[in-house]
Amino acid sequence: MAWLRDSPLFKTRESTITFTLICLESILICFLEGFVVMNHHALVSNCAMDIVGKGVSESDLIYHSLFIVSQAFQIILCVDALYQRNTAQLLTLVAFGLLVVGRHLLKRTKGLQSQKDAFWKPVDPRWPMTPDGQAMAIEYYRGKIRPLEYAIIALIPSFFLTIAYFAWKLRKDFAWDNYKTFSADTRVRSALIATSTLLTLLKLDFYFVFSFAAQLIPSQKLSYDESIVETILVFVLGAVGLLLAVIATYRENKYMMGTFIVAALGAIGYLIFRLSRICIPRPAGEDPYEFTRNFLIFTVAVTMLLILLTIGVAIKCFMNFRNEVFVFSQKGDKKKDDRYSLSIDQGSLGHDHYAESDGEHLNMSKIALEQNQTAAGDNKRRDQVDMFAVN
């Protein structure tokens, strides 16, 4: 069990509690969401829905799946932050938890309500094939689903507040001061913080860009669009853009970073266009976003905000590359310093490194002092012998 004690996940009491809480939250939420999906599918199986009803049911399943994926993604962020001992990633974990809370506090999709308009064709013998039987089934499954949803809504903020408290205590273990040990050059330290922040923002971009793309999957059924071209383009271009940003960051290439910034600005324009279409008021019965508007608006708004923040930090990194202030590599005529070989997310090791260095310097000073004292004593005795010889 020694490897557990040496693992960054269990290195301190705070890290152990944080990791345990996030894993416990993920397990509970995934089980509860699974029961919600199971009951929803049981109700839907008794309905012969039209194309719109199938789209609503599919979108509801996608939302529940995204909630489950968000829990797994939160574990990944936690493990990454604890292993890298990086404050920016720790803040990303807390920010993502806050966004998850906001998303769960939104009003749930009207999936059960949409079943009222579906053709009732029960396969479960408990429900008669009458309007009253349909109403009874909807009320029955609503009674089973609502407590699960309320439990989820209560658990997520509770876990978030607890995790945020222990994350704040972890901040003392690997605070922003860790960056100070990376280099004596203040420009390089500033570039390190910008680069680390950009990489953490890209992780959030990844989740929300693909979350938005996933919500576009039932576009044809819900009459968002007549084709799935937009959905495919969001998946493909989103992946290419994020990959370009990561490569540009690690290679510290100003041309690639500039290309990413231009592409991100184009993405902002597209999201504004999409948001305007979602928010346009439409007559009842002709609104394709009736059951999905809240979540789409939330996802698009958060994605826009994250991309704007990413663009701001990317511009800072671009200026660093242009001014030949590098973190991962040394270019130009600058002489490479051994401290640049430190990993961007291992600044906390600098404390131990410098502590050991200070100890070595202290020991060397003591040895030098003893040598000087010995030499002085030898010189004094030699002088006494010479004086005796003269006399």
Side-chain angles (χ1 to χ4, degrees), residues 223-247:
S223 301
Y224 294 167
D225 290 291
E226 296 180 356
S227 68
I228 60 172
V229 174
E230 180 183 3
T231 305
I232 296 174
L233 287 177
V234 173
F235 272 111
V236 175
L237 296 181
V240 171
L242 293 172
L243 181 62
L244 177 65
V246 173
I247 295 175

Side-chain angles (χ1 to χ4, degrees), residues 18 22 74 77-78 81 87-101 160-161 163-168 204:
T18 301
I22 288 181
Q74 194 167 231
L77 290 177
C78 177
T87 306
Q89 296 183 17
L90 185 65
L91 294 177
T92 300
L93 172 64
V94 176
F96 183 77
L98 181 61
L99 292 173
V100 170
V101 171
F160 168 75
L161 292 175
I163 292 170
Y165 169 74
F166 284 102
W168 177 80
L204 294 180

Side-chain angles (χ1 to χ4, degrees), residues 28-208:
L28 290 175
I29 298 302
C30 288
F31 269 110
L32 292 174
E33 286 287 354
F35 285 123
V36 171
V37 172
M38 182 182 66
N39 283 282
H40 178 79
H41 181 267
L43 174 61
V44 171
S45 64
N46 291 285
C47 301
M49 296 178 291
D50 57 11
I51 189 68
V52 175
K54 291 179 180 178
V56 173
S57 179
E58 185 176 327
S59 65
D60 191 68
L61 178 61
I62 289 173
Y63 290 132
H64 289 297
S65 301
L66 289 175
F67 291 145
I68 293 174
V69 172
S70 70
Q71 297 304 311
F73 190 73
Q74 194 167 231
I75 292 178
I76 294 174
L77 290 177
C78 177
V79 172
D80 195 24
L82 294 178
Y83 263 92
Q84 304 297 343
R85 298 183 62 79
N86 185 292
T87 306
Q89 296 183 17
L90 185 65
L91 294 177
T92 300
L93 172 64
V94 176
F96 183 77
L98 181 61
L99 292 173
V100 170
V101 171
R103 194 168 189 172
H104 279 75
L105 290 178
L106 286 175
K107 186 177 181 180
R108 289 280 181 168
T109 55
K110 303 176 183 179
L112 290 176
Q113 180 179 338
S114 66
Q115 311 307 322
K116 293 181 179 180
D117 301 325
F119 181 73
W120 184 241
K121 190 177 180 181
V123 295
D124 191 331
R126 291 180 298 174
W127 316 119
M129 197 167 64
T130 62
D132 290 339
Q134 182 181 16
M136 289 170 56
I138 291 175
E139 288 301 321
Y140 171 78
Y141 285 108
R142 179 180 284 119
K144 296 188 69 174
I145 291 176
R146 292 297 182 185
L148 296 173
E149 292 183 337
Y150 292 146
I152 293 171
I153 293 175
L155 283 173
I156 289 181
S158 301
F159 272 105
F160 168 75
L161 292 175
T162 308
I163 292 170
Y165 169 74
F166 284 102
W168 177 80
K169 299 189 72 174
L170 275 173
R171 177 187 58 86
K172 299 177 181 179
D173 291 334
F174 39 100
W176 289 106
D177 291 341
N178 294 341
Y179 293 110
K180 296 179 181 179
T181 64
F182 186 76
S183 172
D185 191 339
T186 57
R187 296 188 307 162
V188 175
R189 291 206 300 264
S190 176
L192 173 66
I193 294 174
T195 302
S196 180
T197 304
L198 177 61
L199 290 173
T200 54
L201 283 173
L202 289 173
K203 295 172 186 176
L204 294 180
D205 292 339
F206 173 84
Y207 174 82
F208 280 96

